[in-house]
Amino acid sequence: MAQQTDCTSIGAHLNELARADQQIRQDWNLLEQDAKTTAAQRDDLQQRWRTVDSENLTQLKQIVTACGWPKTSKDSHSAWLLAQHADSDIAFQRFAKGLLEVSVKAGIAAARDLAYLADRIAANEGRPQEYGTQVSQTDRCHLVIKPVDDRQLVNRRRLAIGLQSLEEYEAEGRRRFIPPDCANSAIERKIQ
C-alpha cells in the first residue's frame, strides 16, 4: 500500500531532507579540503551522496504530487534545495521550476531560488546561465564558473534580484571551497 502524505506537516519533513542534503555536501567539502583524501574515501562519500540525493528526490516528488509546492517561504526554500540537487531528473527540475515560478509570483518563494534552479537546469542542458550561479570544482584548487550568456547582463540580473555581483560571488567561492594550501587558487572564467 502506498504511504499517505500528510500535507499539514510537510515542512518538518522537508527541513529534515534539506538537512541531510546539506550535511552530505558539507562532508564532501571537508573531504576535498584534505590533501590526504584517498580515492576510496571519495568513492565512498560520492556513493552516499548519490543515495541521499536519490532518496530526497523520491520523497520530494511524493510531497509535490500529494500537496503541491509548499506554501511557506521556509518550506519552499527546502523544496527548492532538493529540486536544485535533483540532477538525475532534469524533467522534474523543469516541473519544479514551473511551480517555483508561481510561488515567486505569489510572494512566497525567493527569486534567488528561482535563479539558481533556472541556472542549474541550463547548465545541465548545456545552455549558458542567466545568473552565473553554477560552478564546478575541477580539482581541489580550481573552480570554474559554468558558461554564462553575457557577464554584464548577468550582473544586472543578479542585482535586480538582490544577489551580489558575479565578481563578489567568485571571491566568496574561492574563500569557501579552495583550501588555503593551494598556491594559485583561482576561479577560471568560461564565458560564451
Side-chain angles (χ1 to χ4, degrees):
M1 179 168 18
Q3 182 180 342
Q4 193 76 346
T5 303
D6 177 7
C7 296
T8 62
S9 62
I10 62 166
H13 187 57
L14 284 168
N15 293 326
E16 186 179 305
L17 297 174
R19 272 192 296 281
D21 172 283
Q22 291 301 282
Q23 184 63 56
I24 197 73
R25 284 160 172 80
Q26 183 179 16
D27 292 349
W28 178 259
N29 288 337
L30 291 173
L31 193 76
E32 283 297 289
Q33 296 285 322
D34 186 352
K36 296 176 186 172
T37 297
T38 66
Q41 288 171 310
R42 277 189 186 88
D43 290 346
D44 176 61
L45 190 55
Q46 284 177 333
Q47 180 55 47
R48 288 189 292 144
W49 186 340
R50 282 189 291 274
T51 300
V52 166
D53 282 356
S54 175
E55 290 172 0
N56 282 352
L57 173 59
T58 297
Q59 297 208 27
L60 179 60
K61 283 179 168 182
Q62 289 171 351
I63 289 169
V64 170
T65 298
C67 309
W69 195 257
K71 307 295 186 254
T72 69
S73 60
K74 181 179 180 186
D75 297 347
S76 175
H77 183 72
S78 292
W80 156 78
L81 183 68
L82 302 173
Q84 178 79 359
H85 295 147
D87 296 319
S88 65
D89 192 341
I90 296 173
F92 177 76
Q93 284 182 317
R94 276 192 232 103
F95 176 71
K97 179 181 172 256
L99 297 174
L100 187 56
E101 286 171 343
V102 172
S103 187
V104 168
K105 287 178 184 170
I108 297 167
R112 171 188 189 276
D113 291 350
L114 183 56
Y116 271 80
L117 186 54
D119 275 359
R120 186 71 162 232
I121 293 166
N124 284 339
E125 294 177 339
R127 294 182 290 109
Q129 306 177 75
E130 292 182 30
Y131 295 90
T133 63
Q134 302 302 298
V135 301
S136 64
Q137 193 160 356
T138 57
D139 61 45
R140 63 186 295 277
C141 294
H142 296 89
L143 291 177
V144 175
I145 298 243
K146 294 185 179 182
V148 298
D149 59 357
D150 178 289
R151 204 168 169 87
Q152 202 171 37
L153 289 176
V154 166
N155 270 329
R156 280 193 219 136
R157 289 183 201 115
R158 290 178 69 89
L159 179 64
I161 61 168
L163 290 173
Q164 68 200 121
S165 73
L166 200 50
E167 293 74 21
E168 291 167 325
Y169 186 63
E170 291 171 335
E172 181 183 328
R174 272 189 229 100
R175 285 190 302 274
R176 287 185 62 199
F177 299 111
I178 304 297
D181 67 319
C182 291
N184 295 317
S185 64
I187 291 188
E188 300 169 18
R189 295 180 183 159
K190 288 192 175 183
I191 303 170
Q192 290 185 349

